[in-house]
Amino acid sequence: MGGPEQYKSCSFFVEQESGEEAGAGGTPAITSFAKSGLEKKLKPYPPIHLLDYRPNNECPFMKVYEYSGGYLAYCTVLERLLTRSEVETCEQHWKTCPVRRVGVMVGRRTSETTA
């Protein structure tokens, strides 16, 4: 309802940079979590959310963010950060995941934001 000055001042606004959507080889690029504006909303707790490796995000509903020298995994269906143990389960069983089935039925995409 306003001009660019108004919506760009929103804490959830993320300006797209060239190459941010897809990295080399067609794998999704990693976005900085603080830059995405989600840090204030989701309040990551490093002991349970912070990963020391980049998760294998074959699931189309998992977004990976850089955060504090590590990585965070976000599920767009659940609209929340995944814990370390949930990420391990997602990496191994994403094809049979019931949450993924719900996401497919609802039609969510990783490009959606939670703003």
PDB file of all heavy atoms in Angstrom, residues 77-95:
ATOM      1  N   VAL A  77       6.895 -25.793   5.597  1.00  0.00           N
ATOM      2  CA  VAL A  77       5.571 -26.351   5.892  1.00  0.00           C
ATOM      3  C   VAL A  77       5.228 -26.100   7.358  1.00  0.00           C
ATOM      4  O   VAL A  77       4.144 -25.621   7.687  1.00  0.00           O
ATOM      5  CB  VAL A  77       5.508 -27.856   5.576  1.00  0.00           C
ATOM      6  CG1 VAL A  77       4.151 -28.432   5.961  1.00  0.00           C
ATOM      7  CG2 VAL A  77       5.778 -28.105   4.101  1.00  0.00           C
ATOM      8  N   LEU A  78       6.163 -26.406   8.247  1.00  0.00           N
ATOM      9  CA  LEU A  78       5.941 -26.183   9.677  1.00  0.00           C
ATOM     10  C   LEU A  78       6.099 -24.715  10.063  1.00  0.00           C
ATOM     11  O   LEU A  78       5.664 -24.308  11.133  1.00  0.00           O
ATOM     12  CB  LEU A  78       6.928 -27.021  10.497  1.00  0.00           C
ATOM     13  CG  LEU A  78       6.800 -28.534  10.369  1.00  0.00           C
ATOM     14  CD1 LEU A  78       7.939 -29.218  11.114  1.00  0.00           C
ATOM     15  CD2 LEU A  78       5.456 -28.996  10.890  1.00  0.00           C
ATOM     16  N   GLU A  79       6.759 -23.957   9.202  1.00  0.00           N
ATOM     17  CA  GLU A  79       7.044 -22.539   9.432  1.00  0.00           C
ATOM     18  C   GLU A  79       7.821 -22.331  10.731  1.00  0.00           C
ATOM     19  O   GLU A  79       7.501 -21.481  11.550  1.00  0.00           O
ATOM     20  CB  GLU A  79       5.764 -21.710   9.425  1.00  0.00           C
ATOM     21  CG  GLU A  79       5.064 -21.710   8.086  1.00  0.00           C
ATOM     22  CD  GLU A  79       3.829 -20.839   8.053  1.00  0.00           C
ATOM     23  OE1 GLU A  79       3.332 -20.423   9.132  1.00  0.00           O
ATOM     24  OE2 GLU A  79       3.350 -20.567   6.950  1.00  0.00           O
ATOM     25  N   ARG A  80       8.868 -23.158  10.891  1.00  0.00           N
ATOM     26  CA  ARG A  80       9.733 -23.026  12.061  1.00  0.00           C
ATOM     27  C   ARG A  80      11.095 -23.644  11.765  1.00  0.00           C
ATOM     28  O   ARG A  80      11.272 -24.379  10.800  1.00  0.00           O
ATOM     29  CB  ARG A  80       9.112 -23.678  13.289  1.00  0.00           C
ATOM     30  CG  ARG A  80       9.020 -25.193  13.210  1.00  0.00           C
ATOM     31  CD  ARG A  80       8.579 -25.765  14.555  1.00  0.00           C
ATOM     32  NE  ARG A  80       8.396 -27.186  14.519  1.00  0.00           N
ATOM     33  CZ  ARG A  80       9.368 -28.094  14.620  1.00  0.00           C
ATOM     34  NH1 ARG A  80      10.621 -27.704  14.722  1.00  0.00           N
ATOM     35  NH2 ARG A  80       9.103 -29.384  14.594  1.00  0.00           N
ATOM     36  N   LEU A  81      12.047 -23.314  12.646  1.00  0.00           N
ATOM     37  CA  LEU A  81      13.377 -23.904  12.540  1.00  0.00           C
ATOM     38  C   LEU A  81      13.325 -25.363  12.954  1.00  0.00           C
ATOM     39  O   LEU A  81      12.537 -25.750  13.829  1.00  0.00           O
ATOM     40  CB  LEU A  81      14.354 -23.158  13.450  1.00  0.00           C
ATOM     41  CG  LEU A  81      14.677 -21.729  13.051  1.00  0.00           C
ATOM     42  CD1 LEU A  81      15.494 -21.055  14.148  1.00  0.00           C
ATOM     43  CD2 LEU A  81      15.416 -21.691  11.733  1.00  0.00           C
ATOM     44  N   LEU A  82      14.165 -26.153  12.333  1.00  0.00           N
ATOM     45  CA  LEU A  82      14.270 -27.564  12.680  1.00  0.00           C
ATOM     46  C   LEU A  82      15.404 -27.760  13.679  1.00  0.00           C
ATOM     47  O   LEU A  82      16.442 -27.096  13.596  1.00  0.00           O
ATOM     48  CB  LEU A  82      14.542 -28.395  11.434  1.00  0.00           C
ATOM     49  CG  LEU A  82      13.474 -28.335  10.347  1.00  0.00           C
ATOM     50  CD1 LEU A  82      13.952 -29.070   9.099  1.00  0.00           C
ATOM     51  CD2 LEU A  82      12.162 -28.905  10.840  1.00  0.00           C
ATOM     52  N   THR A  83      15.220 -28.675  14.603  1.00  0.00           N
ATOM     53  CA  THR A  83      16.281 -29.003  15.551  1.00  0.00           C
ATOM     54  C   THR A  83      17.302 -29.891  14.852  1.00  0.00           C
ATOM     55  O   THR A  83      17.053 -30.415  13.766  1.00  0.00           O
ATOM     56  CB  THR A  83      15.729 -29.736  16.787  1.00  0.00           C
ATOM     57  OG1 THR A  83      15.188 -30.986  16.365  1.00  0.00           O
ATOM     58  CG2 THR A  83      14.674 -28.897  17.491  1.00  0.00           C
ATOM     59  N   ARG A  84      18.442 -30.090  15.494  1.00  0.00           N
ATOM     60  CA  ARG A  84      19.492 -30.932  14.909  1.00  0.00           C
ATOM     61  C   ARG A  84      18.977 -32.329  14.592  1.00  0.00           C
ATOM     62  O   ARG A  84      19.241 -32.874  13.525  1.00  0.00           O
ATOM     63  CB  ARG A  84      20.667 -31.042  15.867  1.00  0.00           C
ATOM     64  CG  ARG A  84      21.432 -29.772  16.045  1.00  0.00           C
ATOM     65  CD  ARG A  84      22.526 -29.988  17.049  1.00  0.00           C
ATOM     66  NE  ARG A  84      23.209 -28.738  17.316  1.00  0.00           N
ATOM     67  CZ  ARG A  84      24.277 -28.645  18.068  1.00  0.00           C
ATOM     68  NH1 ARG A  84      24.781 -29.722  18.637  1.00  0.00           N
ATOM     69  NH2 ARG A  84      24.849 -27.486  18.265  1.00  0.00           N
ATOM     70  N   SER A  85      18.243 -32.928  15.523  1.00  0.00           N
ATOM     71  CA  SER A  85      17.750 -34.295  15.292  1.00  0.00           C
ATOM     72  C   SER A  85      16.701 -34.321  14.177  1.00  0.00           C
ATOM     73  O   SER A  85      16.647 -35.275  13.407  1.00  0.00           O
ATOM     74  CB  SER A  85      17.181 -34.889  16.574  1.00  0.00           C
ATOM     75  OG  SER A  85      16.100 -34.128  17.046  1.00  0.00           O
ATOM     76  N   GLU A  86      15.891 -33.287  14.076  1.00  0.00           N
ATOM     77  CA  GLU A  86      14.908 -33.227  12.992  1.00  0.00           C
ATOM     78  C   GLU A  86      15.590 -33.100  11.638  1.00  0.00           C
ATOM     79  O   GLU A  86      15.136 -33.681  10.649  1.00  0.00           O
ATOM     80  CB  GLU A  86      13.949 -32.052  13.205  1.00  0.00           C
ATOM     81  CG  GLU A  86      12.994 -32.256  14.352  1.00  0.00           C
ATOM     82  CD  GLU A  86      12.191 -31.024  14.679  1.00  0.00           C
ATOM     83  OE1 GLU A  86      12.684 -29.893  14.481  1.00  0.00           O
ATOM     84  OE2 GLU A  86      11.055 -31.189  15.159  1.00  0.00           O
ATOM     85  N   VAL A  87      16.685 -32.352  11.587  1.00  0.00           N
ATOM     86  CA  VAL A  87      17.425 -32.199  10.335  1.00  0.00           C
ATOM     87  C   VAL A  87      17.980 -33.546   9.893  1.00  0.00           C
ATOM     88  O   VAL A  87      17.890 -33.908   8.719  1.00  0.00           O
ATOM     89  CB  VAL A  87      18.554 -31.149  10.470  1.00  0.00           C
ATOM     90  CG1 VAL A  87      19.458 -31.162   9.256  1.00  0.00           C
ATOM     91  CG2 VAL A  87      17.967 -29.766  10.684  1.00  0.00           C
ATOM     92  N   GLU A  88      18.529 -34.311  10.834  1.00  0.00           N
ATOM     93  CA  GLU A  88      19.058 -35.637  10.499  1.00  0.00           C
ATOM     94  C   GLU A  88      17.953 -36.525   9.930  1.00  0.00           C
ATOM     95  O   GLU A  88      18.150 -37.224   8.942  1.00  0.00           O
ATOM     96  CB  GLU A  88      19.666 -36.290  11.735  1.00  0.00           C
ATOM     97  CG  GLU A  88      20.946 -35.622  12.199  1.00  0.00           C
ATOM     98  CD  GLU A  88      21.433 -36.169  13.535  1.00  0.00           C
ATOM     99  OE1 GLU A  88      20.925 -37.213  13.993  1.00  0.00           O
ATOM    100  OE2 GLU A  88      22.335 -35.543  14.115  1.00  0.00           O
ATOM    101  N   THR A  89      16.778 -36.482  10.541  1.00  0.00           N
ATOM    102  CA  THR A  89      15.644 -37.268  10.047  1.00  0.00           C
ATOM    103  C   THR A  89      15.216 -36.778   8.667  1.00  0.00           C
ATOM    104  O   THR A  89      14.934 -37.590   7.778  1.00  0.00           O
ATOM    105  CB  THR A  89      14.462 -37.180  11.035  1.00  0.00           C
ATOM    106  OG1 THR A  89      14.903 -37.618  12.320  1.00  0.00           O
ATOM    107  CG2 THR A  89      13.294 -38.028  10.579  1.00  0.00           C
ATOM    108  N   CYS A  90      15.164 -35.473   8.472  1.00  0.00           N
ATOM    109  CA  CYS A  90      14.787 -34.909   7.169  1.00  0.00           C
ATOM    110  C   CYS A  90      15.755 -35.338   6.079  1.00  0.00           C
ATOM    111  O   CYS A  90      15.337 -35.650   4.966  1.00  0.00           O
ATOM    112  CB  CYS A  90      14.750 -33.386   7.224  1.00  0.00           C
ATOM    113  SG  CYS A  90      13.297 -32.708   7.998  1.00  0.00           S
ATOM    114  N   GLU A  91      17.035 -35.326   6.387  1.00  0.00           N
ATOM    115  CA  GLU A  91      18.037 -35.711   5.393  1.00  0.00           C
ATOM    116  C   GLU A  91      17.872 -37.170   4.966  1.00  0.00           C
ATOM    117  O   GLU A  91      18.029 -37.490   3.796  1.00  0.00           O
ATOM    118  CB  GLU A  91      19.447 -35.505   5.955  1.00  0.00           C
ATOM    119  CG  GLU A  91      19.837 -34.061   6.075  1.00  0.00           C
ATOM    120  CD  GLU A  91      21.208 -33.901   6.699  1.00  0.00           C
ATOM    121  OE1 GLU A  91      21.483 -34.524   7.741  1.00  0.00           O
ATOM    122  OE2 GLU A  91      22.005 -33.150   6.126  1.00  0.00           O
ATOM    123  N   GLN A  92      17.525 -38.029   5.900  1.00  0.00           N
ATOM    124  CA  GLN A  92      17.448 -39.454   5.601  1.00  0.00           C
ATOM    125  C   GLN A  92      16.090 -39.883   5.052  1.00  0.00           C
ATOM    126  O   GLN A  92      16.012 -40.771   4.209  1.00  0.00           O
ATOM    127  CB  GLN A  92      17.752 -40.264   6.860  1.00  0.00           C
ATOM    128  CG  GLN A  92      19.164 -40.081   7.355  1.00  0.00           C
ATOM    129  CD  GLN A  92      19.373 -40.724   8.711  1.00  0.00           C
ATOM    130  OE1 GLN A  92      18.523 -41.427   9.217  1.00  0.00           O
ATOM    131  NE2 GLN A  92      20.529 -40.463   9.308  1.00  0.00           N
ATOM    132  N   HIS A  93      15.008 -39.277   5.524  1.00  0.00           N
ATOM    133  CA  HIS A  93      13.667 -39.765   5.203  1.00  0.00           C
ATOM    134  C   HIS A  93      12.763 -38.711   4.579  1.00  0.00           C
ATOM    135  O   HIS A  93      11.548 -38.762   4.752  1.00  0.00           O
ATOM    136  CB  HIS A  93      13.006 -40.308   6.478  1.00  0.00           C
ATOM    137  CG  HIS A  93      13.835 -41.319   7.193  1.00  0.00           C
ATOM    138  ND1 HIS A  93      14.056 -42.582   6.707  1.00  0.00           N
ATOM    139  CD2 HIS A  93      14.518 -41.234   8.364  1.00  0.00           C
ATOM    140  CE1 HIS A  93      14.834 -43.247   7.551  1.00  0.00           C
ATOM    141  NE2 HIS A  93      15.140 -42.454   8.551  1.00  0.00           N
ATOM    142  N   TRP A  94      13.308 -37.777   3.841  1.00  0.00           N
ATOM    143  CA  TRP A  94      12.491 -36.686   3.321  1.00  0.00           C
ATOM    144  C   TRP A  94      11.449 -37.156   2.323  1.00  0.00           C
ATOM    145  O   TRP A  94      10.381 -36.564   2.218  1.00  0.00           O
ATOM    146  CB  TRP A  94      13.372 -35.575   2.733  1.00  0.00           C
ATOM    147  CG  TRP A  94      14.098 -35.944   1.481  1.00  0.00           C
ATOM    148  CD1 TRP A  94      15.321 -36.528   1.390  1.00  0.00           C
ATOM    149  CD2 TRP A  94      13.649 -35.767   0.149  1.00  0.00           C
ATOM    150  NE1 TRP A  94      15.676 -36.720   0.080  1.00  0.00           N
ATOM    151  CE2 TRP A  94      14.660 -36.257  -0.709  1.00  0.00           C
ATOM    152  CE3 TRP A  94      12.498 -35.231  -0.415  1.00  0.00           C
ATOM    153  CZ2 TRP A  94      14.543 -36.233  -2.090  1.00  0.00           C
ATOM    154  CZ3 TRP A  94      12.388 -35.209  -1.794  1.00  0.00           C
ATOM    155  CH2 TRP A  94      13.397 -35.706  -2.617  1.00  0.00           C
ATOM    156  N   LYS A  95      11.712 -38.220   1.590  1.00  0.00           N
ATOM    157  CA  LYS A  95      10.745 -38.702   0.597  1.00  0.00           C
ATOM    158  C   LYS A  95       9.488 -39.275   1.242  1.00  0.00           C
ATOM    159  O   LYS A  95       8.411 -39.223   0.654  1.00  0.00           O
ATOM    160  CB  LYS A  95      11.378 -39.754  -0.311  1.00  0.00           C
ATOM    161  CG  LYS A  95      12.402 -39.188  -1.260  1.00  0.00           C
ATOM    162  CD  LYS A  95      12.950 -40.258  -2.162  1.00  0.00           C
ATOM    163  CE  LYS A  95      14.002 -39.675  -3.095  1.00  0.00           C
ATOM    164  NZ  LYS A  95      14.564 -40.702  -3.971  1.00  0.00           N
TER     165      LYS A  95
END
